[in-house]
Amino acid sequence: MSPYSDLAHLMKGRTISRIVCDADTIAARVRELGSEIGAAYPDGELLVLGLLKGSFVFLSDLVRVIPRPLQVDFLVASSYGNDTVSSGEVRLVYDPETRLEGKHILLVEDIIDSGRTLNRLVGLLSERHPLSLEICALLDKHLAAELRLAARFVGFDAPHEFLVGYGLDHAEDFRALPFVASLAD
Ligand code: IMP
Ligand code: MG
């Protein structure tokens, strides 16, 4: 029996074609990322800036395994509607009130697809004179032709499929799944 068969109530009758990263694999990789990030910032103020909504599960696990003091804030940018294809439009809906100037900013994203969202945000955040700006993404599809700033910390290379779970949604469903899965057609 699948270890996830008790999660059928979360699937809304949809099937997933396969699990891409199971919960234990994610937990182990997140712990590694936490250590890497801790070592990368020996001093200075660190602000972990989560891109909502997709990064909320990853971010909450990640900040608890970064072994140094940090602060947390969020950004809301919306790039997709209820579609599995990017509209190409990126809107900034919520802007962090925290001062960015003089701080190390670590922007946390769930998945990098076309890279449009990050390109737009990197431009906006750089204008606020952070001490440094880096990107941490749980998943990277490696489809972005031109990233203004390459992600310094990446959890997993992602297949070129539509993924859900561990914060990632399809039309707001599936965010609570404890694993990352490919959505069947
Ligand atoms: P980009 O701007 O094309 O790089 O798209 C990034 C955003 O699109 C991510 O923050 C996700 O919210 C969403 N996204 C891209 N690919 C997927 C996917 O496979 N599943 C769920 N959301 C995705
Ligand atoms: Mg999304």
Side-chain angles (χ1 to χ4, degrees):
M1 192 166 60
S2 153
Y4 301 117
S5 54
D6 59 334
L7 294 170
H9 61 289
L10 292 174
M11 299 305 302
K12 297 185 77 180
R14 296 286 295 268
T15 52
I16 49 176
S17 61
R18 70 195 167 87
I19 290 172
V20 174
C21 308
D22 66 35
D24 289 344
T25 306
I26 295 172
R29 183 68 188 120
V30 171
R31 279 195 298 275
E32 286 175 1
L33 285 173
S35 304
E36 276 178 47
I37 292 166
Y41 295 99
D43 42 42
E45 286 182 84
L46 174 62
L47 174 65
V48 180
L49 205 48
L51 194 49
L52 290 176
K53 302 176 196 169
S55 74
F56 83 105
V57 178
F58 175 43
L59 180 122
S60 64
D61 284 344
L62 183 66
V63 292
R64 287 179 287 171
V65 293
I66 298 175
R68 60 129 36 233
L70 55 82
Q71 296 179 346
V72 176
D73 207 339
F74 296 96
L75 275 177
V76 184
S78 125
S79 67
Y80 288 2
N82 286 346
D83 220 335
T84 53
V85 180
S86 175
S87 62
E89 200 183 297
V90 178
R91 284 183 312 131
L92 203 54
V93 183
Y94 168 75
D95 218 3
E97 294 179 1
T98 323
R99 186 178 53 82
L100 304 191
E101 198 175 326
K103 292 181 183 170
H104 294 297
I105 306 300
L106 182 63
L107 188 58
V108 177
E109 168 75 306
D110 53 355
I111 184 164
I112 305 176
D113 187 342
S114 72
R116 276 193 206 98
T117 310
L118 283 177
N119 277 343
R120 168 93 203 287
L121 290 178
V122 163
L124 289 171
L125 297 176
S126 304
E127 287 169 11
R128 299 189 190 174
H129 309 292
L131 190 55
S132 69
L133 177 61
E134 300 286 359
I135 293 164
C136 175
L138 175 69
L139 296 151
D140 189 349
K141 288 188 184 171
H142 296 284
L143 288 172
E146 256 179 65
L147 270 185
R148 290 175 72 155
L149 178 64
R152 176 161 177 193
F153 308 98
V154 175
F156 302 96
D157 293 337
H160 299 172
E161 295 161 33
F162 199 80
L163 304 179
V164 295
Y166 198 68
L168 286 86
D169 74 304
H170 173 248
E172 297 301 327
D173 290 323
F174 311 116
R175 291 195 197 275
L177 291 174
F179 49 80
V180 174
S182 178
L183 199 61
D185 286 322

